[in-house]
Amino acid sequence: MPKPLKDSDQKPLVATVVPGTSDRAWIANGYDEVRAILSDDRFSTMPPAKTPEASRRLIQPGNLLQYDPPEHTRLRRMLTGEFTLRRVRALEPLVEGVVKDRLDAMEGAGQPVDLVAHFVWPTTSLIGCALLGIPRDDQAELVRHLDTNRLDNPDREQRDMAGTAYLAYLDKLMRLKRRKPGDDLLGRLIRDHGRSLTDPELTGTAATLLASFIPITGGTLGLGLVGLLENPDQLALLIERPELIDHAVEEVIRSVTIIPHASPRTATQDVTIGDQVIKSGEFVACSLLEANGTRAPGQPQDTLDITRDNSHHMAFGHGLHYCMGASLARMELRIAISGLLHRFPKVRLAVPRDELRFTARSVESLPVAW
Amino acid sequence: MEIRVDRERCAGSSLCLSYLPEVFDQSDDDGKVLLRTPVPGADMEEAVRGVAARCPTGAITLHARDAQDA
Ligand code: HEM
Ligand code: SF4
């Protein structure tokens, strides 16, 4: 295996305390340490509680990240058939169609255009909704709820209301689909596994998938385009050598690492990592950002290099919770980025770099000309 | 060299078959790995090792077949 792209300048595994308590917790920053922890079955991702039963009650039904085996295995297996490489390839024409429509609309509107509002979010939300089978008329409202509900919205009350509306909508939709499952992901899930899934599990699965798809893939696409536009030499190289697109997509995913930390893990027994012992019951936060040698959005980044082999990065996590949508996300990013560059080979930022504004997981707007 | 896969552990990431479709395949039902070529030629060995190291769940293991083939 190639070594990590850049060693983290933080200590590989540091002890700290859980805020507001005297309990010890850990932060893993080193590539090897993060990889070891995420692939070790002795760590649990279930919500922390005094007893396993209490912990189970705290799980958001359908949110795979909060289950341990064997429940995790049972739920994940029902979904993996929907995310095979063959399925992802079968979705390519849909994605190509959506991307083409957006590019036509941009061309019609004339430059400069805000890529975030006119390309990144519309393509990603249309694809996510089509995949799950959200009726066209409902898509805009649902995506608005999801956007208002995002973690970095400072208005708590507004955020919670949007979260409730989002779940209520999906709950209603699942009831409809139970009666009339269509030929889409949720429909097939109901037809094949509907009897062994509870209503909250089904609704929760839909909620998790859509919330994993839209903000995360959209955020990566937006920030990835910033990275490419800031590195005109890399952009020019990609236009000259379109066959580099797979490497470029992987480099974009690594350089953004949109999920900065994996879900907290709790040791279920004492685990030795390097020369330190994580005691049973202690938490670990694994920094995917540090393990990947990445900086938060808007911070100066290391050089982007679309020719290097970075296929061992951990932006999709590692271990049994490895991202289920990884192939799908790669496919969308590939078609979106190559489609944009093919249509507008002279695409460039239309504002100075310092005027770009970032949230924790996205760029707010990205005006470009061509 | 012989490849073995642990379908129980496999997370259905599609990583192995996206790198080496001639060696790995995937079930349409549960998305888990299937072996197309359990005993690949010596020229494939390095590539297979690379893929085994990248598998997120360590579900791919490599085994010597006999004394000459370690
Ligand atoms: C560039 C885009 C994406 C990135 C970087 C990404 C990243 C991640 C990461 C890091 C994890 C593991 C977190 C942990 O172990 O704590 C994860 C899990 C997951 N992702 Fe993604 N993701 C992306 C897109 C998607 C898409 C498009 C979908 C589905 C439509 C998706 C569905 C999931 C699911 C269901 C899990 C939980 C898997 C489990 O617990 O077994 N992701 N993702
Ligand atoms: S790389 Fe590993 S987890 Fe992914 S499909 Fe292949 S065997 Fe399964």
Side-chain angles (χ1 to χ4, degrees):
Chain A
M1 288 273 281
K3 279 311 282 175
L5 301 152
K6 179 177 138 313
D7 284 328
S8 165
D9 24 6
Q10 311 286 327
K11 285 211 181 105
L13 182 63
V14 239
T16 161
V17 273
V18 181
T21 71
S22 57
D23 297 344
R24 191 167 70 158
W26 298 83
I27 300 172
N29 296 305
Y31 181 86
D32 294 333
E33 287 74 9
V34 168
R35 217 167 165 86
I37 293 165
L38 293 184
S39 57
D40 193 318
D41 299 346
R42 292 170 294 175
F43 290 98
S44 160
T45 57
M46 294 204 358
K50 290 234 156 55
T51 64
E53 293 69 42
S55 171
R56 206 160 282 129
R57 278 197 298 275
L58 290 175
I59 292 178
Q60 299 167 338
N63 182 353
L64 275 181
L65 274 175
Q66 299 188 339
Y67 292 84
D68 286 346
E71 289 91 340
H72 175 264
T73 320
R74 163 187 162 258
L75 279 175
R76 180 155 175 138
R77 173 177 265 156
M78 291 184 203
L79 286 166
T80 36
E82 289 295 329
F83 292 90
T84 61
L85 217 49
R86 261 187 289 276
R87 264 264 197 275
V88 167
R89 293 213 173 110
L91 287 167
E92 283 179 3
L94 172 96
V95 175
E96 278 159 1
V98 169
V99 166
K100 178 180 178 299
D101 287 351
R102 297 315 307 176
L103 292 171
D104 289 348
M106 275 171 59
E107 206 162 11
Q111 47 189 320
V113 152
D114 173 12
L115 271 186
V116 169
H118 294 275
F119 186 65
V120 172
W121 293 122
T123 40
T124 312
S125 40
L126 279 170
I127 296 164
C129 289
L131 172 80
L132 266 81
I134 310 293
R136 218 162 227 291
D137 291 357
D138 303 342
Q139 294 179 359
E141 197 187 336
L142 192 63
V143 171
R144 214 167 26 249
H145 292 325
L146 198 53
D147 189 48
T148 314
N149 184 236
R150 64 169 197 237
L151 279 178
D152 54 4
N153 180 353
D155 188 336
R156 264 305 282 270
E157 199 180 333
Q158 193 194 47
R159 199 177 96 192
D160 291 347
M161 269 165 54
T164 310
Y166 175 69
L167 286 176
Y169 171 80
L170 289 173
D171 194 48
K172 200 179 77 197
L173 182 72
M174 296 312 293
R175 279 168 213 281
L176 278 172
K177 283 189 183 281
R178 280 251 196 221
R179 266 178 275 140
K180 242 173 111 185
D183 186 27
D184 48 57
L185 192 157
L186 296 178
R188 281 189 297 271
L189 188 63
I190 288 173
R191 246 195 316 273
D192 297 346
H193 305 287
R195 254 180 285 176
S196 52
L197 286 166
T198 63
D199 283 348
E201 277 174 345
L202 262 178
T203 304
T205 303
T208 314
L209 288 179
L210 210 54
S212 308
F213 197 111
I214 300 176
I216 296 177
T217 316
T220 303
L221 178 56
L223 292 169
L225 289 171
V226 173
L228 285 168
L229 291 165
E230 278 181 322
N231 287 280
D233 57 321
Q234 295 294 302
L235 197 62
L237 186 63
L238 185 53
I239 290 164
E240 192 188 305
R241 295 179 53 198
E243 74 279 7
L244 285 175
I245 187 66
D246 288 328
H247 268 321
V249 162
E250 222 52 56
E251 175 67 345
V252 157
I253 292 167
R254 177 206 65 87
S255 70
V256 171
T257 308
I258 192 103
I259 299 187
H261 292 93
S263 302
R265 262 64 176 173
T266 313
T268 58
Q269 34 180 297
D270 293 0
V271 182
T272 306
I273 300 284
D275 52 7
Q276 305 192 78
V277 180
I278 300 176
K279 287 256 164 63
S280 177
E282 291 177 348
F283 301 120
V284 195
C286 289
S287 174
L288 303 177
L289 218 50
E290 287 296 334
N292 274 347
T294 308
R295 300 282 164 270
Q299 303 295 104
Q301 300 289 342
D302 295 328
T303 35
L304 197 75
D305 179 355
I306 62 167
T307 61
R308 72 177 146 207
D309 173 12
N310 67 9
S311 57
H312 56 296
H313 72 73
M314 279 192 286
F316 288 121
H318 192 63
L320 54 92
H321 294 280
Y322 183 87
C323 179
M324 197 146 61
S327 309
L328 186 60
R330 289 188 173 103
M331 182 269 278
E332 181 193 327
L333 291 168
R334 172 169 53 77
I335 292 176
I337 294 173
S338 52
L340 179 75
L341 298 187
H342 187 76
R343 183 76 69 97
F344 305 118
K346 295 215 164 71
V347 65
R348 60 193 178 275
L349 276 178
V351 294
R353 165 68 174 79
D354 331 332
E355 285 180 19
L356 297 180
R357 293 286 164 269
F358 297 89
T359 66
R361 288 188 180 182
S362 57
V363 56
E364 281 179 0
S365 66
L366 190 53
V368 295
W370 54 81
Chain B
M1 178 190 65
E2 181 185 338
I3 308 175
R4 289 185 207 144
V5 290
D6 181 344
R7 296 195 80 244
E8 205 42 50
R9 283 200 73 81
C10 167
S13 72
S14 316
L15 256 164
C16 52
L17 54 146
S18 68
Y19 284 104
L20 287 178
E22 58 278 52
V23 178
F24 299 99
D25 198 358
Q26 184 176 35
S27 143
D28 284 328
D29 292 333
D30 62 10
K32 293 196 180 218
V33 65
L34 296 172
L35 265 180
R36 212 186 265 277
T37 317
V39 186
D43 53 328
M44 299 287 293
E45 191 164 327
E46 203 186 314
V48 174
R49 271 185 211 291
V51 166
R54 282 178 179 77
C55 167
T57 56
I60 304 171
T61 48
L62 307 179
H63 305 266
R65 297 200 73 212
D66 54 45
Q68 299 117 48
D69 180 315

